[in-house]
Amino acid sequence: MPPSRLDGLYRSLLLTKFFCKGWGKPENLERLFEFRKIISNRTACSKLVPRDYPVEITKEELTSDCRILEGRFKTPLEIYLPGLVPDAVKDAHFQILLPTEWRDERYKPVCIHLAGTGDHYYWKRRNLIAKPLLKEANLGAIILENPFYGMRKPKDQKASSLHNVSDIFVMGGCLVLESLVLLNWCERNGYGPLGITGLSMGGHMASLAATNWPKPLVLVPCLSWSTASAVFTEGVMSHSINWDVLQTQYFSDGNYRERLSKMVTVVDDAFLAGQHFIKNFNQSVQELKKDLNQVDDLVNGGARPDVNLTVIRETTPEHEQKRIHINHTNVLNLSEPLLKKLLSNVKCELTQEEIDELNLKIQLALKNYKAENKTDSDKLILEVKAEEPAPETGPSKSLGTKIMEYISWRNSNDPSTPTPPPPAEKRERIDPSKTRWWEREALQFMRGMMDECTHLKNFSVPYDTSLIIAVCAKDDAYIPREGCSSLEDIWPGAEIRYLDAGHVSAYVLHQKLFRSCIVEAFERARKKWIPEHERIQEVQDGERPK
């Protein structure tokens, strides 16, 4: 589905610019990258927040339909990374909505609601989602003020415009640890089952926080996906980033290129680049199908050099490196079974017919590429993999990358034009509206940073994935999913539901659906929670003296 035009229009009307002061201090980023390795491990992270972490309730009010509590506590991130959290952000503020009477004393569900981009203070989440859930399902709510928002916004920050890229990682670190504080507080006060949710950025932050709770937890992330890298490098939000400042700082300070860039990894770059190439190959060279002379020349002509297609998937502690080697040439169209094999995350065996079928496509593209670029190479190797940029001359490109560039250019321009436009200079302004802007080094660094600190593959799998219902918009221009690992693959057992809507229209029109998914997920938890609650009560009763 094409990205929603409404999403693009809405974003264009907003004047806010992000990261106007740059990446953040290199030493701060280095500390954040190292700390990510700790909080992404559930066993290690859950030990950072004691069960009796001090929480202060500052206000309590009883209304006709609910009890309202307000409180605060010191964010644990300041304890572990002193100096990185701005003064205004150090105190976490929250509001709690509880029913005046629980319908079942054994079942007191409470859900934490995290804020999306631009969601300052409590009122929006309270009125749109928390109060209706309280009325409809007797479901309590904790509304946590987002770091850098509302009462926690630094005085020199305008609206939601974070000054540095590092601020988004400070925000995430704060929310992960603060969510653990609130979940512990709920347990101490006898509430449960517990859950966490959020929309857009709040949905992704909820996903990160849920990975570190060492017990079953309801999770309903709405309008988010597996990583924030696509949001800031491909989605409509990328147009609101001050790329001039980021690129200038990246090239002027060697710390970013020489040291920090080696600490981060673009998680989906290698394997999914190959998948993206194969997935779009059939459509990208439709015009070549019409040229039967080319086909006859390839199939019936003289011997051709073999082409090796190597697709490499980045390794993680849970996954082995996967390679596919393909040789030879014969047939024309990619069949549906072959496409399914190539797009699968599971290593598949290819038959000789499928190998021949795929390589004809590759030969067609290579022949056309050589003709247009006057390449005299006798043997061409198509290789799709991540490459380290050369220190002086900029990032090198594999032939696979060049072919994908060529096909993309050819589809968007007059096919009769003989040669693709020359590559832009390395220090040219990064413009999200131009083709291949994402290939610049500064943007690749952004992708690597975002994947390093926000990709769900880098975090533990939630304790019980059967309690996860994720809601995504098919036409979301804010949260692109193409080329990103799917939630189904990262969290086996989780349920993913898709709306026929864009990001903005889903937010405006489908609040009721988001609430119904939260209620449904808590009902699943209820079936597990009440029997466990009764078992514990029986044990306690049995220990009492007669």
Side-chain angles (χ1 to χ4, degrees):
M1 298 289 287
S4 167
R5 292 185 178 181
L6 176 60
D7 290 353
L9 176 62
Y10 179 79
R11 184 64 245 178
S12 68
L13 297 176
L14 302 178
L15 302 177
T16 52
K17 280 283 186 182
F18 291 87
F19 314 139
C20 291
K21 292 188 178 181
W23 302 100
K25 295 180 180 179
E27 58 270 25
N28 290 348
L29 286 168
E30 188 169 3
R31 293 171 67 192
L32 287 163
F33 295 159
E34 291 296 335
F35 191 68
R36 194 280 303 167
K37 298 174 183 177
I38 299 173
I39 66 169
S40 61
N41 180 284
R42 178 162 54 241
T43 302
C45 184
S46 59
K47 294 178 181 177
L48 297 178
V49 180
R51 281 183 52 82
D52 58 351
Y53 192 91
V55 174
E56 179 186 4
I57 300 299
T58 59
K59 181 181 178 181
E60 185 168 356
E61 179 184 359
L62 182 63
T63 67
S64 60
D65 55 353
C66 65
R67 289 173 59 210
I68 301 176
L69 287 72
E70 293 188 7
R72 65 187 177 197
F73 57 90
K74 183 177 182 179
T75 182
L77 190 67
E78 172 62 16
I79 298 172
Y80 298 105
L81 293 178
L84 264 66
V85 183
D87 290 340
V89 179
K90 290 179 181 178
D91 282 340
H93 298 267
F94 61 92
Q95 186 176 85
I96 302 176
L97 274 67
L98 298 173
T100 54
E101 184 178 353
W102 295 102
R103 297 172 186 170
D104 187 338
E105 284 298 317
R106 301 170 300 171
Y107 179 71
K108 300 178 180 180
V110 173
C111 186
I112 298 174
H113 298 263
L114 300 185
T117 302
D119 187 355
H120 296 251
Y121 302 105
Y122 308 130
W123 65 271
K124 191 181 295 184
R125 282 169 286 168
R126 182 179 63 233
N127 293 318
L128 290 180
I129 194 163
K131 277 196 169 183
L133 283 173
L134 189 70
K135 182 179 180 181
E136 297 164 6
N138 204 226
L139 181 59
I142 298 180
I143 306 170
L144 177 61
E145 180 77 281
N146 203 58
F148 298 94
Y149 283 17
M151 291 178 283
R152 307 178 70 182
K153 184 173 74 69
K155 292 182 180 179
D156 59 343
Q157 176 186 302
K158 294 182 179 179
S160 309
S161 301
L162 302 183
H163 289 157
N164 300 295
V165 177
S166 60
D167 292 342
I168 200 80
F169 306 138
V170 172
M171 179 192 294
C174 284
L175 288 172
V176 167
L177 298 179
E178 290 165 14
S179 296
L180 293 181
V181 171
L182 293 171
L183 290 169
N184 279 323
W185 182 89
C186 287
E187 277 200 341
R188 294 201 309 270
N189 286 274
Y191 300 118
L194 306 176
I196 190 166
T197 187
L199 273 65
S200 191
M201 180 183 73
H204 193 76
M205 294 298 184
S207 297
L208 296 177
T211 64
N212 290 301
W213 183 242
K215 300 174 185 177
L217 183 73
V218 168
L219 170 61
V220 185
C222 302
L223 308 182
S224 64
W225 198 235
S226 57
T227 177
S229 63
V231 175
F232 292 103
T233 61
E234 299 175 31
V236 295
M237 281 282 290
S238 63
H239 297 266
S240 302
I241 293 175
N242 196 322
W243 290 108
D244 285 334
V245 170
L246 293 179
Q247 182 175 252
T248 300
Q249 193 177 84
Y250 179 79
F251 284 107
S252 63
D253 189 336
N255 282 306
Y256 298 105
R257 298 186 73 198
E258 298 165 13
R259 186 157 54 91
L260 293 175
S261 63
K262 294 178 174 59
M263 297 181 67
V264 300
T265 302
V266 179
V267 174
D268 294 317
D269 196 35
F271 184 68
L272 289 174
Q275 286 191 320
H276 182 270
F277 174 71
I278 298 301
K279 182 177 181 180
N280 293 280
F281 201 85
N282 209 30
Q283 295 178 349
S284 300
V285 292
Q286 288 293 324
E287 68 272 13
L288 295 182
K289 289 183 179 180
K290 299 176 183 178
D291 193 345
L292 298 179
N293 292 329
Q294 278 191 328
V295 177
D296 290 336
D297 182 42
L298 277 172
V299 175
N300 302 318
R304 300 284 172 181
D306 285 344
V307 176
N308 296 325
L309 171 62
T310 302
V311 183
I312 301 176
R313 184 174 189 171
E314 293 287 349
T315 58
T316 66
E318 297 80 21
H319 297 84
E320 296 179 354
Q321 192 175 53
K322 297 185 179 180
R323 294 172 180 264
I324 307 171
H325 296 286
I326 306 171
N327 300 290
H328 209 50
T329 306
N330 206 338
V331 198
L332 176 61
N333 294 317
L334 289 182
S335 62
E336 185 177 351
L338 175 57
L339 279 174
K340 286 183 177 179
K341 282 188 178 181
L342 293 169
L343 295 176
S344 171
N345 280 334
V346 180
K347 187 174 182 179
C348 301
E349 293 289 335
L350 298 183
T351 65
Q352 185 60 46
E353 289 76 17
E354 290 170 334
I355 291 173
D356 294 341
E357 183 181 346
L358 176 61
N359 268 281
L360 177 63
K361 284 293 184 181
I362 296 170
Q363 289 282 11
L364 287 171
L366 292 175
K367 180 184 175 78
N368 200 64
Y369 178 83
K370 288 169 65 177
E372 296 288 350
N373 291 275
K374 299 178 176 58
T375 303
D376 297 320
S377 173
D378 293 327
K379 184 180 179 79
L380 295 175
I381 299 175
L382 176 60
E383 189 173 61
V384 184
K385 67 178 183 179
E387 295 189 22
E388 295 248 342
E392 296 296 334
T393 59
S396 60
K397 298 177 185 176
S398 66
L399 181 59
T401 302
K402 292 177 182 178
I403 291 175
M404 284 189 278
E405 288 178 11
Y406 169 73
I407 293 174
S408 174
W409 168 82
R410 197 177 157 89
N411 282 345
S412 60
N413 294 273
D414 184 359
S416 62
T417 306
T419 310
E425 290 296 323
K426 180 174 63 177
R427 291 178 179 270
E428 184 183 356
R429 176 186 177 187
I430 295 177
D431 185 352
S433 66
K434 293 182 179 178
T435 307
R436 301 188 303 278
W437 63 276
W438 46 268
E439 292 176 356
R440 306 302 200 279
E441 275 192 67
L443 187 113
Q444 284 298 95
F445 182 50
M446 173 73 87
R447 289 181 66 198
M449 290 175 68
M450 289 294 168
D451 270 358
E452 182 69 28
C453 295
T454 72
H455 203 298
L456 296 177
K457 269 190 177 180
N458 286 336
F459 290 74
S460 301
V461 175
Y463 188 91
D464 186 350
T465 56
S466 70
L467 300 181
I468 299 173
I469 301 178
V471 185
C472 304
K474 288 183 179 178
D475 309 333
D476 201 324
Y478 275 83
I479 319 286
R481 297 188 304 278
E482 183 72 29
C484 299
S485 300
S486 69
L487 292 178
E488 293 97 330
D489 294 333
I490 300 174
W491 292 341
E495 182 178 352
I496 319 299
R497 300 177 180 177
Y498 296 90
L499 290 170
D500 286 321
H503 195 86
V504 174
S505 58
Y507 180 86
V508 174
L509 301 175
H510 295 285
Q511 292 284 338
K512 186 175 181 180
L513 175 65
F514 301 147
R515 296 198 302 269
S516 68
C517 290
I518 294 171
V519 173
E520 183 178 341
F522 269 94
E523 282 300 314
R524 294 180 186 178
R526 178 184 186 132
K527 294 176 182 179
K528 297 182 178 183
W529 175 263
I530 291 184
E532 178 67 14
H533 183 276
E534 291 174 342
R535 186 189 66 79
I536 294 173
Q537 189 64 46
E538 288 173 1
V539 172
Q540 291 174 345
D541 291 342
E543 292 174 350
R544 293 173 185 171
K546 295 183 180 179

